[in-house]
Amino acid sequence: MTDIKTRYRYGKPDDKGCTPVYVDGAAEPAGHVRKLSRGSSPWWSESAGDRGAGSHHTSKHAAAERLVRMVDIRAQVDRTITGRRARRIQAPAGWRFASWTEIEREGYRQVRPVHRAPYVYGDEGERYPDTFADQPVTLTRVTTLHNGRVVISGTEPGDRPPYVLLMDPAHVALGALVREQEPRYIAQGQCAGCEQNGPLYQAGTRLGCAACTAAELGVSAADLPAAVDDDGAVWWSVGDTVRRKGEIHDGDTEPETGRVTETETFIAERSRRIAVDFGDRWPVRWQPAGLAPVA
């Protein structure tokens, strides 16, 4: 183990008697030490990040060694923060991260939400995934609220009560786990394997019907994705400004434009419902096909 006394050196004291201390050959001092009194602990140690909240010590060496320990503590904190941030993109084997927008648009039925999302450091708002659902949750609904929070609901394997999870925006930003080989719904058509007409799914480079795709992947056909069937409507998000489709007649007091305050995606039904605030009453729920972008 390196002797702590060899890890630091003193610089030239300034006109206030503060002696800078350089640790591990750094170009910038880790802090400074100075003698304040003649008592039992006359030496003061203040690191660069202390902002005046240093500590008293019995000797100059003890004051300097405290700065070395502070450097080590900060380095450990930095390593912890880096590791926590790395977990945002390091998915378990066989799984990958998907955003909630992707999950809604593709209609992924089986996902593993982030169950515990602590702050990366302090309470600055950035979170990292600490634990996931042990078993995939079968999604039924994803609701985005006016404040950016998201509520997901569904079912878990076994005889369990309905699954509900409320996430704040930073938690939402982590997304959820989906299988690496999760198939995507492509369109209606004829399966090359069984020659049956119906929904076609792409898994890797293979295109097949629900039955053939499920059999190949070893899952239930009911668990395959069901992309939202919105006839090409705009994918509305909370905060978007929208316009009512249809004619506006003379004397119509209902405002033509409004703001999206909530979205609901019904996974199994492959549909969405949008809440719009037109300014003069409570938000009204609309089907996406009845709304258009504001020019």
Side-chain angles (χ1 to χ4, degrees), residues 80-113:
T80 299
I81 291 174
T82 299
R84 289 173 175 174
R85 285 181 173 145
R87 294 180 65 174
R88 297 166 65 95
I89 58 174
Q90 294 174 350
W95 299 82
R96 67 175 178 85
F97 283 102
S99 69
W100 282 104
T101 298
E102 179 187 352
I103 291 169
E104 289 183 75
R105 299 197 75 156
E106 296 296 337
Y108 293 141
R109 300 296 310 280
Q110 299 276 293
V111 304
R112 290 174 59 191

Side-chain angles (χ1 to χ4, degrees), residues 216-288:
E216 182 177 349
L217 297 177
V219 300
S220 169
D223 292 335
L224 293 178
V228 172
D229 185 12
D230 57 7
D231 297 324
V234 176
W235 188 267
W236 300 111
S237 301
V238 170
D240 287 345
T241 302
V242 300
R243 175 177 58 82
R244 290 189 295 122
K245 285 184 178 179
E247 297 181 2
I248 304 299
H249 302 286
D250 292 340
D252 192 344
T253 59
E254 183 177 4
E256 182 182 0
T257 62
R259 185 176 61 86
V260 176
T261 60
E262 183 178 303
T263 64
E264 286 182 288
T265 300
F266 300 90
I267 302 295
E269 292 82 358
R270 300 173 58 199
S271 64
R272 297 190 91 203
R273 189 167 58 175
I274 313 299
V276 182
D277 182 1
F278 284 107
D280 63 346
R281 56 175 161 174
W282 293 103
V284 181
R285 299 193 180 278
W286 288 74
Q287 297 300 322

Side-chain angles (χ1 to χ4, degrees), residues 1-34:
M1 181 179 293
T2 303
D3 185 351
I4 195 171
K5 290 183 173 60
T6 67
R7 293 184 55 194
Y8 68 88
R9 64 177 177 84
Y10 298 116
K12 182 179 180 181
D14 62 16
D15 55 1
K16 295 182 180 179
C18 296
T19 301
V21 178
Y22 297 84
V23 177
D24 295 334
E28 296 295 327
H32 69 266
V33 297
R34 60 173 171 159

Side-chain angles (χ1 to χ4, degrees), residues 73-277:
I73 290 172
R74 290 194 176 95
Q76 178 58 48
V77 170
D78 289 343
R79 286 192 294 270
T80 299
I81 291 174
T82 299
R84 289 173 175 174
R85 285 181 173 145
R87 294 180 65 174
R88 297 166 65 95
I89 58 174
Q90 294 174 350
W95 299 82
R96 67 175 178 85
F97 283 102
S99 69
W100 282 104
T101 298
E102 179 187 352
I103 291 169
E104 289 183 75
R105 299 197 75 156
E106 296 296 337
Y108 293 141
R109 300 296 310 280
Q110 299 276 293
V111 304
R112 290 174 59 191
V114 178
H115 271 187
R116 187 171 182 271
Y119 290 120
V120 170
Y121 179 72
D123 59 353
E124 76 288 354
E126 184 182 13
R127 295 183 181 272
Y128 72 97
D130 188 49
T131 59
F132 302 93
D134 293 333
Q135 298 294 325
V137 173
T138 301
L139 287 180
T140 55
R141 183 184 303 182
V142 179
T143 304
T144 302
L145 306 177
H146 69 281
N147 54 9
R149 293 176 178 266
V150 169
V151 182
I152 62 173
S153 57
T155 59
E156 294 182 278
D159 186 18
R160 298 187 182 184
Y163 178 92
V164 179
L165 177 66
L166 170 64
M167 301 176 287
D168 66 24
H171 189 168
V172 172
L174 298 177
L177 296 178
V178 300
R179 294 183 180 87
E180 286 184 339
Q181 298 300 319
E182 190 72 30
R184 295 177 62 244
Y185 169 79
I186 301 300
Q188 298 286 324
Q190 186 180 67
C191 176
C194 65
E195 298 184 348
Q196 297 293 317
N197 289 318
L200 296 180
Y201 294 85
Q202 182 177 349
T205 59
R206 182 180 176 85
L207 192 65
C209 67
C212 291
T213 301
E216 182 177 349
L217 297 177
V219 300
S220 169
D223 292 335
L224 293 178
V228 172
D229 185 12
D230 57 7
D231 297 324
V234 176
W235 188 267
W236 300 111
S237 301
V238 170
D240 287 345
T241 302
V242 300
R243 175 177 58 82
R244 290 189 295 122
K245 285 184 178 179
E247 297 181 2
I248 304 299
H249 302 286
D250 292 340
D252 192 344
T253 59
E254 183 177 4
E256 182 182 0
T257 62
R259 185 176 61 86
V260 176
T261 60
E262 183 178 303
T263 64
E264 286 182 288
T265 300
F266 300 90
I267 302 295
E269 292 82 358
R270 300 173 58 199
S271 64
R272 297 190 91 203
R273 189 167 58 175
I274 313 299
V276 182
D277 182 1

